[in-house]
Amino acid sequence: MRDAVTSLIKNYDLAGRYFDRNAIDSLKSYFDSGTVRVQAAAAINSNAAALVKQAGLKLYEELPELIRPGGNSYTTRRYAACLRDLDYYLRYATYALVAGNTNVLDERVLQGLRETYNSLGVPIGPTVRGIQILKDLIKEQVAAAGVVNTAFVDEPFDHITRELSEIDI
């Protein structure tokens, strides 16, 4: 797992280059945003279970067919698995948020996930929608914690949804 700093160092090391102005600016931006990243993580951690539960409720309100007989979240076991997955996405997105890098998502979450979901018959569209709902709720939570600009929260959640939604042709 890498963060923004180790990724930057690795890239410059592989190229055999000293840091240039872009690298220094990137490091400065990462360190300047460190406090709000940690503040956002604290806001998420203090209310993670409620955020996941609320995201699930909103998802099923929007897509009630998922919890009806024959729906993918019909039965307590399947419903619980959906919430478990949302919690999993939230935890790893929080790691990526603090790291300022989505590498952990690629390594620990996304490798083979789409194929696994397809093989199990888990619909990707509702999964993506659930992640988007979760992102919106987190942005509200982070804003309520006093973070003025919550745009940085988008990156890990958008990365998950983009990679999960991608279709190979």
Side-chain angles (χ1 to χ4, degrees), residues 52 60 72-89 117 120 122 127:
V52 168
Y60 295 127
N72 203 287
S73 292
Y74 181 68
T75 74
T76 304
R77 183 183 60 79
R78 286 180 166 189
Y79 185 91
C82 177
L83 295 183
R84 178 208 59 213
D85 287 356
L86 284 175
D87 185 64
Y88 184 70
Y89 301 134
Y117 274 7
L120 294 173
V122 175
T127 302

PDB file of all heavy atoms in Angstrom, residues 52 60 72-89 117 120 122 127:
ATOM      1  N   VAL A  52     -23.271   3.613   6.912  1.00  0.00           N
ATOM      2  CA  VAL A  52     -23.526   2.429   6.086  1.00  0.00           C
ATOM      3  C   VAL A  52     -25.002   2.054   6.133  1.00  0.00           C
ATOM      4  O   VAL A  52     -25.628   1.787   5.107  1.00  0.00           O
ATOM      5  CB  VAL A  52     -22.636   1.246   6.536  1.00  0.00           C
ATOM      6  CG1 VAL A  52     -23.076  -0.057   5.900  1.00  0.00           C
ATOM      7  CG2 VAL A  52     -21.170   1.543   6.220  1.00  0.00           C
ATOM      8  N   TYR A  60     -32.216   1.098  -0.877  1.00  0.00           N
ATOM      9  CA  TYR A  60     -33.417   0.266  -0.997  1.00  0.00           C
ATOM     10  C   TYR A  60     -34.681   1.099  -1.160  1.00  0.00           C
ATOM     11  O   TYR A  60     -35.671   0.620  -1.696  1.00  0.00           O
ATOM     12  CB  TYR A  60     -33.522  -0.690   0.183  1.00  0.00           C
ATOM     13  CG  TYR A  60     -32.385  -1.689   0.165  1.00  0.00           C
ATOM     14  CD1 TYR A  60     -31.583  -1.869   1.282  1.00  0.00           C
ATOM     15  CD2 TYR A  60     -32.091  -2.424  -0.982  1.00  0.00           C
ATOM     16  CE1 TYR A  60     -30.532  -2.782   1.259  1.00  0.00           C
ATOM     17  CE2 TYR A  60     -31.039  -3.316  -1.014  1.00  0.00           C
ATOM     18  CZ  TYR A  60     -30.268  -3.492   0.107  1.00  0.00           C
ATOM     19  OH  TYR A  60     -29.226  -4.379   0.063  1.00  0.00           O
ATOM     20  N   ASN A  72     -31.870  -9.141  -5.453  1.00  0.00           N
ATOM     21  CA  ASN A  72     -30.544  -9.573  -5.023  1.00  0.00           C
ATOM     22  C   ASN A  72     -30.296  -9.402  -3.533  1.00  0.00           C
ATOM     23  O   ASN A  72     -29.420 -10.052  -2.974  1.00  0.00           O
ATOM     24  CB  ASN A  72     -29.458  -8.860  -5.825  1.00  0.00           C
ATOM     25  CG  ASN A  72     -28.173  -9.648  -5.816  1.00  0.00           C
ATOM     26  OD1 ASN A  72     -27.489  -9.701  -4.804  1.00  0.00           O
ATOM     27  ND2 ASN A  72     -27.868 -10.280  -6.933  1.00  0.00           N
ATOM     28  N   SER A  73     -31.045  -8.554  -2.864  1.00  0.00           N
ATOM     29  CA  SER A  73     -30.881  -8.376  -1.417  1.00  0.00           C
ATOM     30  C   SER A  73     -32.039  -8.991  -0.637  1.00  0.00           C
ATOM     31  O   SER A  73     -32.226  -8.699   0.539  1.00  0.00           O
ATOM     32  CB  SER A  73     -30.760  -6.892  -1.067  1.00  0.00           C
ATOM     33  OG  SER A  73     -29.555  -6.384  -1.555  1.00  0.00           O
ATOM     34  N   TYR A  74     -32.807  -9.831  -1.316  1.00  0.00           N
ATOM     35  CA  TYR A  74     -33.908 -10.518  -0.643  1.00  0.00           C
ATOM     36  C   TYR A  74     -33.303 -11.619   0.225  1.00  0.00           C
ATOM     37  O   TYR A  74     -32.451 -12.356  -0.220  1.00  0.00           O
ATOM     38  CB  TYR A  74     -34.888 -11.088  -1.664  1.00  0.00           C
ATOM     39  CG  TYR A  74     -36.056 -11.792  -1.039  1.00  0.00           C
ATOM     40  CD1 TYR A  74     -37.006 -11.087  -0.334  1.00  0.00           C
ATOM     41  CD2 TYR A  74     -36.192 -13.170  -1.152  1.00  0.00           C
ATOM     42  CE1 TYR A  74     -38.085 -11.731   0.254  1.00  0.00           C
ATOM     43  CE2 TYR A  74     -37.273 -13.827  -0.576  1.00  0.00           C
ATOM     44  CZ  TYR A  74     -38.213 -13.104   0.125  1.00  0.00           C
ATOM     45  OH  TYR A  74     -39.274 -13.740   0.712  1.00  0.00           O
ATOM     46  N   THR A  75     -33.700 -11.690   1.402  1.00  0.00           N
ATOM     47  CA  THR A  75     -33.267 -12.551   2.511  1.00  0.00           C
ATOM     48  C   THR A  75     -32.319 -11.742   3.386  1.00  0.00           C
ATOM     49  O   THR A  75     -31.603 -10.847   2.920  1.00  0.00           O
ATOM     50  CB  THR A  75     -32.578 -13.890   2.126  1.00  0.00           C
ATOM     51  OG1 THR A  75     -31.276 -13.652   1.658  1.00  0.00           O
ATOM     52  CG2 THR A  75     -33.415 -14.680   1.141  1.00  0.00           C
ATOM     53  N   THR A  76     -32.354 -12.070   4.628  1.00  0.00           N
ATOM     54  CA  THR A  76     -31.530 -11.363   5.608  1.00  0.00           C
ATOM     55  C   THR A  76     -30.047 -11.523   5.307  1.00  0.00           C
ATOM     56  O   THR A  76     -29.268 -10.587   5.450  1.00  0.00           O
ATOM     57  CB  THR A  76     -31.839 -11.888   7.027  1.00  0.00           C
ATOM     58  OG1 THR A  76     -33.235 -11.741   7.254  1.00  0.00           O
ATOM     59  CG2 THR A  76     -31.075 -11.132   8.076  1.00  0.00           C
ATOM     60  N   ARG A  77     -29.657 -12.696   4.866  1.00  0.00           N
ATOM     61  CA  ARG A  77     -28.249 -12.966   4.569  1.00  0.00           C
ATOM     62  C   ARG A  77     -27.740 -12.064   3.441  1.00  0.00           C
ATOM     63  O   ARG A  77     -26.684 -11.464   3.541  1.00  0.00           O
ATOM     64  CB  ARG A  77     -28.073 -14.441   4.198  1.00  0.00           C
ATOM     65  CG  ARG A  77     -26.631 -14.846   3.940  1.00  0.00           C
ATOM     66  CD  ARG A  77     -26.512 -16.301   3.497  1.00  0.00           C
ATOM     67  NE  ARG A  77     -27.220 -16.626   2.273  1.00  0.00           N
ATOM     68  CZ  ARG A  77     -26.783 -16.356   1.043  1.00  0.00           C
ATOM     69  NH1 ARG A  77     -25.630 -15.742   0.869  1.00  0.00           N
ATOM     70  NH2 ARG A  77     -27.499 -16.698  -0.007  1.00  0.00           N
ATOM     71  N   ARG A  78     -28.508 -11.942   2.389  1.00  0.00           N
ATOM     72  CA  ARG A  78     -28.090 -11.102   1.260  1.00  0.00           C
ATOM     73  C   ARG A  78     -28.107  -9.614   1.626  1.00  0.00           C
ATOM     74  O   ARG A  78     -27.249  -8.862   1.207  1.00  0.00           O
ATOM     75  CB  ARG A  78     -28.978 -11.363   0.054  1.00  0.00           C
ATOM     76  CG  ARG A  78     -28.695 -12.677  -0.612  1.00  0.00           C
ATOM     77  CD  ARG A  78     -29.608 -12.848  -1.793  1.00  0.00           C
ATOM     78  NE  ARG A  78     -29.154 -13.928  -2.648  1.00  0.00           N
ATOM     79  CZ  ARG A  78     -29.683 -14.171  -3.829  1.00  0.00           C
ATOM     80  NH1 ARG A  78     -30.684 -13.432  -4.279  1.00  0.00           N
ATOM     81  NH2 ARG A  78     -29.226 -15.166  -4.546  1.00  0.00           N
ATOM     82  N   TYR A  79     -29.105  -9.216   2.386  1.00  0.00           N
ATOM     83  CA  TYR A  79     -29.195  -7.831   2.846  1.00  0.00           C
ATOM     84  C   TYR A  79     -27.955  -7.491   3.680  1.00  0.00           C
ATOM     85  O   TYR A  79     -27.316  -6.468   3.483  1.00  0.00           O
ATOM     86  CB  TYR A  79     -30.476  -7.658   3.672  1.00  0.00           C
ATOM     87  CG  TYR A  79     -30.769  -6.249   4.108  1.00  0.00           C
ATOM     88  CD1 TYR A  79     -31.549  -5.409   3.336  1.00  0.00           C
ATOM     89  CD2 TYR A  79     -30.271  -5.746   5.308  1.00  0.00           C
ATOM     90  CE1 TYR A  79     -31.844  -4.109   3.738  1.00  0.00           C
ATOM     91  CE2 TYR A  79     -30.552  -4.452   5.723  1.00  0.00           C
ATOM     92  CZ  TYR A  79     -31.336  -3.648   4.932  1.00  0.00           C
ATOM     93  OH  TYR A  79     -31.602  -2.364   5.336  1.00  0.00           O
ATOM     94  N   ALA A  80     -27.621  -8.385   4.607  1.00  0.00           N
ATOM     95  CA  ALA A  80     -26.442  -8.181   5.458  1.00  0.00           C
ATOM     96  C   ALA A  80     -25.161  -8.154   4.626  1.00  0.00           C
ATOM     97  O   ALA A  80     -24.239  -7.379   4.921  1.00  0.00           O
ATOM     98  CB  ALA A  80     -26.367  -9.267   6.523  1.00  0.00           C
ATOM     99  N   ALA A  81     -25.091  -8.969   3.583  1.00  0.00           N
ATOM    100  CA  ALA A  81     -23.897  -8.986   2.724  1.00  0.00           C
ATOM    101  C   ALA A  81     -23.730  -7.658   1.999  1.00  0.00           C
ATOM    102  O   ALA A  81     -22.610  -7.168   1.841  1.00  0.00           O
ATOM    103  CB  ALA A  81     -23.990 -10.138   1.718  1.00  0.00           C
ATOM    104  N   CYS A  82     -24.835  -7.055   1.587  1.00  0.00           N
ATOM    105  CA  CYS A  82     -24.766  -5.750   0.926  1.00  0.00           C
ATOM    106  C   CYS A  82     -24.216  -4.694   1.877  1.00  0.00           C
ATOM    107  O   CYS A  82     -23.332  -3.922   1.516  1.00  0.00           O
ATOM    108  CB  CYS A  82     -26.137  -5.344   0.407  1.00  0.00           C
ATOM    109  SG  CYS A  82     -26.161  -3.697  -0.339  1.00  0.00           S
ATOM    110  N   LEU A  83     -24.749  -4.670   3.094  1.00  0.00           N
ATOM    111  CA  LEU A  83     -24.261  -3.696   4.076  1.00  0.00           C
ATOM    112  C   LEU A  83     -22.802  -3.964   4.432  1.00  0.00           C
ATOM    113  O   LEU A  83     -22.024  -3.028   4.611  1.00  0.00           O
ATOM    114  CB  LEU A  83     -25.141  -3.713   5.330  1.00  0.00           C
ATOM    115  CG  LEU A  83     -26.588  -3.255   5.136  1.00  0.00           C
ATOM    116  CD1 LEU A  83     -27.314  -3.255   6.473  1.00  0.00           C
ATOM    117  CD2 LEU A  83     -26.675  -1.899   4.465  1.00  0.00           C
ATOM    118  N   ARG A  84     -22.437  -5.232   4.516  1.00  0.00           N
ATOM    119  CA  ARG A  84     -21.040  -5.588   4.785  1.00  0.00           C
ATOM    120  C   ARG A  84     -20.129  -5.030   3.687  1.00  0.00           C
ATOM    121  O   ARG A  84     -19.076  -4.462   3.958  1.00  0.00           O
ATOM    122  CB  ARG A  84     -20.891  -7.108   4.870  1.00  0.00           C
ATOM    123  CG  ARG A  84     -19.458  -7.578   5.092  1.00  0.00           C
ATOM    124  CD  ARG A  84     -19.186  -8.947   4.534  1.00  0.00           C
ATOM    125  NE  ARG A  84     -19.445  -8.990   3.104  1.00  0.00           N
ATOM    126  CZ  ARG A  84     -19.903 -10.055   2.467  1.00  0.00           C
ATOM    127  NH1 ARG A  84     -20.181 -11.162   3.124  1.00  0.00           N
ATOM    128  NH2 ARG A  84     -20.101 -10.022   1.162  1.00  0.00           N
ATOM    129  N   ASP A  85     -20.558  -5.180   2.435  1.00  0.00           N
ATOM    130  CA  ASP A  85     -19.754  -4.677   1.321  1.00  0.00           C
ATOM    131  C   ASP A  85     -19.654  -3.160   1.355  1.00  0.00           C
ATOM    132  O   ASP A  85     -18.583  -2.601   1.107  1.00  0.00           O
ATOM    133  CB  ASP A  85     -20.324  -5.149  -0.015  1.00  0.00           C
ATOM    134  CG  ASP A  85     -20.079  -6.627  -0.282  1.00  0.00           C
ATOM    135  OD1 ASP A  85     -19.390  -7.285   0.537  1.00  0.00           O
ATOM    136  OD2 ASP A  85     -20.578  -7.127  -1.304  1.00  0.00           O
ATOM    137  N   LEU A  86     -20.751  -2.478   1.655  1.00  0.00           N
ATOM    138  CA  LEU A  86     -20.707  -1.017   1.769  1.00  0.00           C
ATOM    139  C   LEU A  86     -19.732  -0.592   2.864  1.00  0.00           C
ATOM    140  O   LEU A  86     -18.970   0.366   2.694  1.00  0.00           O
ATOM    141  CB  LEU A  86     -22.094  -0.438   2.040  1.00  0.00           C
ATOM    142  CG  LEU A  86     -23.060  -0.366   0.868  1.00  0.00           C
ATOM    143  CD1 LEU A  86     -24.430   0.113   1.326  1.00  0.00           C
ATOM    144  CD2 LEU A  86     -22.521   0.519  -0.239  1.00  0.00           C
ATOM    145  N   ASP A  87     -19.739  -1.311   3.970  1.00  0.00           N
ATOM    146  CA  ASP A  87     -18.806  -1.014   5.053  1.00  0.00           C
ATOM    147  C   ASP A  87     -17.364  -1.228   4.598  1.00  0.00           C
ATOM    148  O   ASP A  87     -16.479  -0.441   4.918  1.00  0.00           O
ATOM    149  CB  ASP A  87     -19.115  -1.884   6.273  1.00  0.00           C
ATOM    150  CG  ASP A  87     -18.251  -1.513   7.456  1.00  0.00           C
ATOM    151  OD1 ASP A  87     -18.375  -0.370   7.949  1.00  0.00           O
ATOM    152  OD2 ASP A  87     -17.449  -2.370   7.889  1.00  0.00           O
ATOM    153  N   TYR A  88     -17.145  -2.262   3.851  1.00  0.00           N
ATOM    154  CA  TYR A  88     -15.818  -2.579   3.301  1.00  0.00           C
ATOM    155  C   TYR A  88     -15.344  -1.444   2.387  1.00  0.00           C
ATOM    156  O   TYR A  88     -14.206  -0.977   2.488  1.00  0.00           O
ATOM    157  CB  TYR A  88     -15.947  -3.899   2.542  1.00  0.00           C
ATOM    158  CG  TYR A  88     -14.689  -4.473   1.977  1.00  0.00           C
ATOM    159  CD1 TYR A  88     -13.699  -5.004   2.788  1.00  0.00           C
ATOM    160  CD2 TYR A  88     -14.507  -4.537   0.589  1.00  0.00           C
ATOM    161  CE1 TYR A  88     -12.556  -5.570   2.254  1.00  0.00           C
ATOM    162  CE2 TYR A  88     -13.373  -5.100   0.048  1.00  0.00           C
ATOM    163  CZ  TYR A  88     -12.402  -5.618   0.875  1.00  0.00           C
ATOM    164  OH  TYR A  88     -11.282  -6.169   0.341  1.00  0.00           O
ATOM    165  N   TYR A  89     -16.214  -0.993   1.494  1.00  0.00           N
ATOM    166  CA  TYR A  89     -15.859   0.119   0.606  1.00  0.00           C
ATOM    167  C   TYR A  89     -15.556   1.378   1.402  1.00  0.00           C
ATOM    168  O   TYR A  89     -14.617   2.115   1.095  1.00  0.00           O
ATOM    169  CB  TYR A  89     -16.964   0.414  -0.410  1.00  0.00           C
ATOM    170  CG  TYR A  89     -17.312  -0.750  -1.294  1.00  0.00           C
ATOM    171  CD1 TYR A  89     -18.626  -1.099  -1.532  1.00  0.00           C
ATOM    172  CD2 TYR A  89     -16.320  -1.519  -1.888  1.00  0.00           C
ATOM    173  CE1 TYR A  89     -18.952  -2.175  -2.335  1.00  0.00           C
ATOM    174  CE2 TYR A  89     -16.634  -2.595  -2.693  1.00  0.00           C
ATOM    175  CZ  TYR A  89     -17.948  -2.916  -2.910  1.00  0.00           C
ATOM    176  OH  TYR A  89     -18.266  -3.985  -3.698  1.00  0.00           O
ATOM    177  N   TYR A 117     -18.262 -10.299  -8.721  1.00  0.00           N
ATOM    178  CA  TYR A 117     -19.676  -9.932  -8.659  1.00  0.00           C
ATOM    179  C   TYR A 117     -20.445 -10.544  -9.838  1.00  0.00           C
ATOM    180  O   TYR A 117     -21.548 -11.057  -9.659  1.00  0.00           O
ATOM    181  CB  TYR A 117     -19.837  -8.414  -8.645  1.00  0.00           C
ATOM    182  CG  TYR A 117     -19.756  -7.787  -7.267  1.00  0.00           C
ATOM    183  CD1 TYR A 117     -19.423  -8.506  -6.140  1.00  0.00           C
ATOM    184  CD2 TYR A 117     -20.024  -6.441  -7.101  1.00  0.00           C
ATOM    185  CE1 TYR A 117     -19.357  -7.921  -4.892  1.00  0.00           C
ATOM    186  CE2 TYR A 117     -19.966  -5.838  -5.850  1.00  0.00           C
ATOM    187  CZ  TYR A 117     -19.635  -6.591  -4.747  1.00  0.00           C
ATOM    188  OH  TYR A 117     -19.580  -6.012  -3.514  1.00  0.00           O
ATOM    189  N   LEU A 120     -21.063 -14.204  -9.311  1.00  0.00           N
ATOM    190  CA  LEU A 120     -22.032 -14.469  -8.247  1.00  0.00           C
ATOM    191  C   LEU A 120     -23.424 -13.933  -8.570  1.00  0.00           C
ATOM    192  O   LEU A 120     -24.367 -14.125  -7.796  1.00  0.00           O
ATOM    193  CB  LEU A 120     -21.554 -13.851  -6.926  1.00  0.00           C
ATOM    194  CG  LEU A 120     -20.290 -14.444  -6.330  1.00  0.00           C
ATOM    195  CD1 LEU A 120     -19.835 -13.621  -5.131  1.00  0.00           C
ATOM    196  CD2 LEU A 120     -20.509 -15.898  -5.950  1.00  0.00           C
ATOM    197  N   VAL A 122     -24.194 -10.723  -8.710  1.00  0.00           N
ATOM    198  CA  VAL A 122     -24.441  -9.481  -7.971  1.00  0.00           C
ATOM    199  C   VAL A 122     -24.527  -8.339  -8.990  1.00  0.00           C
ATOM    200  O   VAL A 122     -23.589  -8.128  -9.759  1.00  0.00           O
ATOM    201  CB  VAL A 122     -23.303  -9.204  -6.950  1.00  0.00           C
ATOM    202  CG1 VAL A 122     -23.509  -7.858  -6.269  1.00  0.00           C
ATOM    203  CG2 VAL A 122     -23.235 -10.325  -5.926  1.00  0.00           C
ATOM    204  N   THR A 127     -24.828  -1.645  -6.904  1.00  0.00           N
ATOM    205  CA  THR A 127     -23.634  -1.536  -6.059  1.00  0.00           C
ATOM    206  C   THR A 127     -23.002  -0.164  -6.241  1.00  0.00           C
ATOM    207  O   THR A 127     -22.666   0.520  -5.266  1.00  0.00           O
ATOM    208  CB  THR A 127     -22.616  -2.638  -6.410  1.00  0.00           C
ATOM    209  OG1 THR A 127     -23.232  -3.913  -6.241  1.00  0.00           O
ATOM    210  CG2 THR A 127     -21.376  -2.533  -5.548  1.00  0.00           C
TER     211      THR A 127
END
